[in-house]
Amino acid sequence: MVTINGLRAVGLFVCLVAASTVHAQPGPLPTDSAPADAAPVDAGPAPSVDIAPAPSADAPAVLASSAPPGLVPPAPEPPPKDTPIKLTAAAGKGITFKAGDAFSLNLRARAQLRYQLHAPLPDTDGERIVDETVQVGTLRLWIGGHTLTPKLLYMIQLALAERDYRDGVISPVFDAFLDYKAHRDLSIKVGQYFVPFDRLRTVREFALQLADRPRPVAELTLDRDVGVTVYSDGFLGTPLAYRFGVFGGNGINRATATAEVGPLVVGRLELRPFGPIDDDSEGDLERRKKPGLALGAGAAANFNTDRTRSTTGGRFAETTSYYHLAADAVFKWQGFALQLEYLWRGASKLMFATETNGMVVTEYARPAQGWVAQASYTFDPPIELVGRASRMFAPSTSDPRLVDEIERLGQEYAAGANYYINGHQLKLQADWIGRSGTNGTHRFEHLVHVQIDATF
């Protein structure tokens, strides 16, 4: 009896293991295992059935790895890893949030607190009416970084001080652009920003050595506009850089359309024969061990513009086309810095008459030219002395108001001293600017500035 019971136990074990590991296959069941009311063998195949016997106390445990795929629950996916957020901050560079390579955000602010004393040209009796101003000269907010990839940069600059609102502008937006650094030889910038025409206008505003830009630059350059630029800072791996852009030609934040369609087209070439140089920042605060030189030339045409100074100034009732040329050079070495620039502007139509309310109004374009020379020396500790000279010229066919202004104030001389606490990000500045006429009268208009310029 023991032998028979042992054989029965072995048979029962084999049946349990077979039932737990084998799918029932379609086809007729064996006759010796079918119930009495089962269909005959020739009635067709039986449906496929998953057989899973009920567990019993005598049955061994079934391993999950031996179970059919349909009975094993999928393994839970690991939870996604959060992108680490990196937070950095530095004086003058603001605060930066970075989420891997997909996104970064930098916040910075700049404030300029200014005192100005102004003594205009004396009147016919030799008297001057001196005035002074204490104000927030400028207040800026920068929001920038990259998105999707470190190659795609963005920048928004808001100007919030009253002095920043010129030519009737009512929007605080100064810069708003995307800059895709696609390749060493071809990058793309689109939005509102400085037109890449001449160096002294595109120097970053917080990096100026004197309180005001020179008069030829203010009159003859191209300001910010909305457009697209393709460029390279090292074309084919050489010291040559290029910039080519197409803009609307209306300047910043233009709310109304022009009478005629006409774009602003600009091209610029730059050569840095001794290698990289920070030519978008004035002075040699780093006291370079090796000389740095940047040579540049630009040309532009603003077709059918109604602005008196091409992209800035008042409005003409008619339109004219302005043509622009620029040449500039920047040299820096061992604390010494020199900037030179020449600007020229011509017009396709010098004069036009418009009838308004029965009256004929004559308007004039403003062709002119001018040059600027600015030199400085930075001592160690960071005390800097700077001097500047500039002059403008206008043909007799130009706007009579411009001709008169140049005859009275067309020459400019300036001298200043700066103390750099944190480079251009935090500095104390004092300067004198004197303007006299080109007619040999040697009478000067005087401007004195004392200011704190801080980028946080």
Side-chain angles (χ1 to χ4, degrees):
M1 293 299 293
V2 174
T3 304
I4 293 174
N5 290 335
L7 291 174
R8 288 176 177 175
V10 171
L12 178 60
F13 178 79
V14 171
C15 291
L16 290 172
V17 171
S20 64
T21 58
V22 179
H23 248 355
Q25 299 296 323
L29 295 174
T31 56
D32 59 348
S33 61
D37 57 352
V41 174
D42 59 357
S48 176
V49 178
D50 288 331
I51 300 175
S56 66
D58 298 329
V62 180
L63 298 177
S65 61
S66 64
L71 299 179
V72 178
E77 297 182 0
K81 295 182 178 179
D82 293 334
T83 302
I85 304 297
K86 184 178 180 182
L87 174 64
T88 59
K93 299 184 182 298
I95 184 170
T96 301
F97 300 87
K98 186 176 181 182
D101 290 338
F103 181 77
S104 71
L105 173 67
N106 173 258
L107 297 174
R108 283 182 296 155
R110 172 180 168 235
Q112 183 189 89
L113 308 178
R114 168 187 284 208
Y115 168 80
Q116 174 179 289
L117 179 69
H118 175 224
L121 291 176
D123 59 21
T124 55
D125 297 327
E127 300 292 332
R128 300 177 188 263
I129 302 176
V130 178
D131 59 85
E132 62 178 3
T133 306
V134 181
Q135 63 180 176
V136 177
T138 189
L139 183 63
R140 305 290 175 88
L141 178 65
W142 287 287
I143 305 170
H146 73 265
T147 183
L148 300 179
T149 168
K151 293 183 177 181
L152 182 57
L153 309 180
Y154 68 92
M155 172 61 73
I156 297 172
Q157 182 183 180
L158 304 178
L160 305 176
E162 181 180 1
R163 187 170 174 269
D164 291 322
Y165 287 67
R166 302 184 301 271
D167 299 334
V169 170
I170 60 174
S171 169
V173 178
F174 263 31
D175 295 315
F177 62 82
L178 292 173
D179 189 356
Y180 182 45
K181 299 186 178 298
H183 189 270
R184 177 199 64 192
D185 300 331
L186 180 65
S187 296
I188 303 173
K189 189 174 183 179
V190 59
Q192 180 171 288
Y193 49 90
F194 276 133
V195 175
F197 171 61
D198 68 305
R199 172 49 66 200
L200 292 188
R201 185 63 183 102
T202 55
V203 168
R204 293 173 293 180
E205 292 172 332
F206 69 87
L208 297 175
Q209 294 174 299
L210 297 170
D212 292 333
R213 296 186 191 268
R215 290 297 294 274
V217 172
E219 172 66 34
L220 299 172
T221 190
L222 296 168
D223 204 81
R224 291 177 171 89
D225 206 345
V226 180
V228 58
T229 300
V230 294
Y231 71 95
S232 170
D233 287 319
F235 186 60
L236 300 177
T238 68
L240 180 66
Y242 76 87
R243 310 186 192 288
F244 177 77
V246 180
F247 296 81
N250 297 319
I252 66 172
N253 304 325
R254 180 70 181 266
T256 57
T258 56
E260 298 181 45
V261 176
L264 165 62
V265 181
V266 60
R268 177 173 170 83
L269 294 177
E270 299 168 353
L271 179 65
R272 299 174 177 86
F274 303 146
I277 175 177
D278 56 337
D279 52 338
D280 62 348
S281 176
E282 293 187 348
D284 184 19
L285 276 60
E286 298 180 356
R287 297 178 55 84
R288 298 173 57 102
K289 304 298 183 187
K290 296 173 59 177
L293 177 64
L295 305 173
N302 194 0
F303 298 100
N304 297 325
T305 180
D306 64 353
R307 304 294 295 266
T308 57
R309 293 193 296 267
S310 193
T311 58
T312 61
R315 309 288 184 185
F316 290 131
E318 298 288 334
T319 64
T320 187
S321 295
Y322 275 126
Y323 308 106
H324 303 262
L325 293 175
D328 49 74
V330 177
F331 177 79
K332 300 185 181 185
W333 190 30
Q334 295 184 348
F336 174 75
L338 176 66
Q339 299 178 138
L340 303 172
E341 182 161 301
Y342 170 78
L343 295 164
W344 175 89
R345 180 176 67 204
S348 62
K349 189 189 303 183
L350 297 176
M351 182 183 69
F352 32 86
T354 305
E355 184 175 343
T356 304
N357 297 327
M359 298 182 61
V360 176
V361 178
T362 302
E363 296 179 308
Y364 299 87
R366 294 168 70 95
Q369 58 184 312
W371 57 262
V372 180
Q374 183 168 310
S376 65
Y377 185 79
T378 303
F379 296 87
D380 193 14
I383 298 173
E384 179 184 65
L385 299 179
V386 56
R388 182 172 76 198
S390 71
R391 183 163 181 169
M392 289 180 60
F393 308 87
S396 59
T397 53
S398 186
D399 187 334
R401 292 170 297 182
L402 178 61
V403 173
D404 177 69
E405 179 183 344
I406 290 176
E407 288 181 351
R408 294 184 302 109
L409 301 169
Q411 293 187 127
E412 181 182 72
Y413 304 94
N418 300 320
Y419 183 81
Y420 295 99
I421 301 171
N422 184 29
H424 282 294
Q425 282 74 34
L426 180 57
K427 57 190 177 183
L428 302 176
Q429 297 181 278
D431 65 41
W432 163 81
I433 300 175
R435 297 175 181 140
S436 67
T438 59
N439 52 11
T441 58
H442 303 294
R443 297 191 304 171
F444 278 84
E445 173 188 66
H446 300 279
L447 288 163
V448 176
H449 302 103
V450 179
Q451 65 183 27
I452 299 174
D453 201 313
T455 302
F456 307 103

